């Protein structure tokens, strides 16, 4: 779909470690927020229908509903627009992570979809999504930096690398 945001990268660790970095609060918190922001709390009920809460010092709490969990190959969730919003029709996007082994490395594919179905909150709250394109309306520095974490164009890339090395 032309409206989906897609990112595919090779990561120099096995899928099990990448999966842990995305689904374990203590491993997600240190890197899932670009500088100068800080993740101060994270809870993940890692089962379909489970809830996750990510709290950022500067922005408040974002709610997520887990959709699919197939360790270590697949993880997906609905990410709500706006702080403290419960993910539902018209206010959330679907984020899907696919992990496949390539020797000792991992092919990570992340797809964020559902933008056309969002209600009028899109342009006002778009900066809170996992993937972001600077060419889309409402994108802020937080989301742009999250993309940079995966593309290797940010100094914050070392945060993800460190989290993976600590697993």
């Amino acid at each position: 779909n032309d409206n989906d945001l897609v990112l595919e990268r090779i990561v120099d660790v096995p899928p099990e470690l990448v999966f842990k970095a995305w689904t374990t609060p203590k491993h997600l918190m240190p890197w899932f927020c670009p500088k100068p922001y800080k993740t101060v709390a994270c809870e993940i009920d890692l089962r379909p229908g489970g809830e996750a809460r990510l709290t950022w010092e500067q922005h408040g709490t974002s709610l997520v509903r887990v959709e699919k969990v197939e360790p270590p190959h697949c993880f997906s969730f609905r990410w709500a627009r706006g702080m403290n919003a419960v993910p539902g029709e018209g206010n959330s996007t679907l984020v899907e992570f696919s992990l496949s082994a390539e020797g000792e490395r991992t092919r990570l594919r992340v797809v964020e979809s559902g933008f056309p179905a969002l209600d009028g909150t899109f342009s006002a709250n778009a900066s809170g999504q996992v993937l972001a394109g600077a060419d889309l309306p409402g994108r802020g520095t937080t989301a742009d930096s999250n993309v940079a974490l995966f593309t290797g164009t940010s100094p914050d890339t070392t945060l993800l690398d460190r989290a993976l090395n600590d697993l």
Side-chain angles (χ1 to χ4, degrees):
N1 182 324
D2 288 342
N3 294 309
D4 293 353
L5 297 175
V6 179
L7 183 62
E8 192 165 313
R9 296 289 179 260
I10 300 294
V11 183
D12 288 331
V13 296
E16 294 79 11
L17 294 183
V18 178
F19 190 86
K20 271 187 181 181
W22 273 106
T23 60
T24 307
K26 75 177 186 176
H27 298 303
L28 184 67
M29 284 179 59
W31 71 269
F32 189 67
C33 194
K35 294 175 185 174
Y37 306 109
K38 182 178 179 185
T39 305
V40 294
C42 178
E43 301 170 21
I44 303 173
D45 180 358
L46 195 59
R47 62 183 173 85
E51 183 180 274
R53 297 172 160 274
L54 295 149
T55 303
W56 292 282
E57 189 173 68
Q58 297 82 352
H59 300 295
T61 300
S62 190
L63 303 179
V64 168
R65 183 180 68 231
V66 176
E67 297 290 322
K68 187 175 184 180
V69 181
E70 295 177 4
H73 303 290
C74 180
F75 174 60
S76 66
F77 58 85
R78 288 216 156 266
W79 181 277
R81 297 284 179 180
M83 295 299 117
N84 295 307
V86 176
E89 288 294 317
N91 80 338
S92 65
T93 55
L94 179 64
V95 182
E96 301 170 283
F97 296 87
S98 300
L99 306 168
S100 58
E102 294 197 1
E104 292 295 312
R105 302 166 76 191
T106 301
R107 179 173 298 278
L108 167 64
R109 179 176 167 84
V110 185
V111 178
E112 187 169 8
S113 61
F115 294 101
L118 292 174
D119 61 23
T121 63
F122 177 69
S123 61
N125 296 310
S127 65
Q129 299 307 298
V130 171
L131 297 180
D135 57 333
L136 294 175
R139 296 295 184 195
T141 58
T142 299
D144 294 340
S145 295
N146 282 346
V147 167
L149 286 171
F150 290 104
T151 62
T153 59
S154 166
D156 292 343
T157 301
T158 58
L159 295 175
L160 174 57
D161 293 337
R162 190 177 316 129
L164 291 170
N165 289 330
D166 288 345
L167 292 175

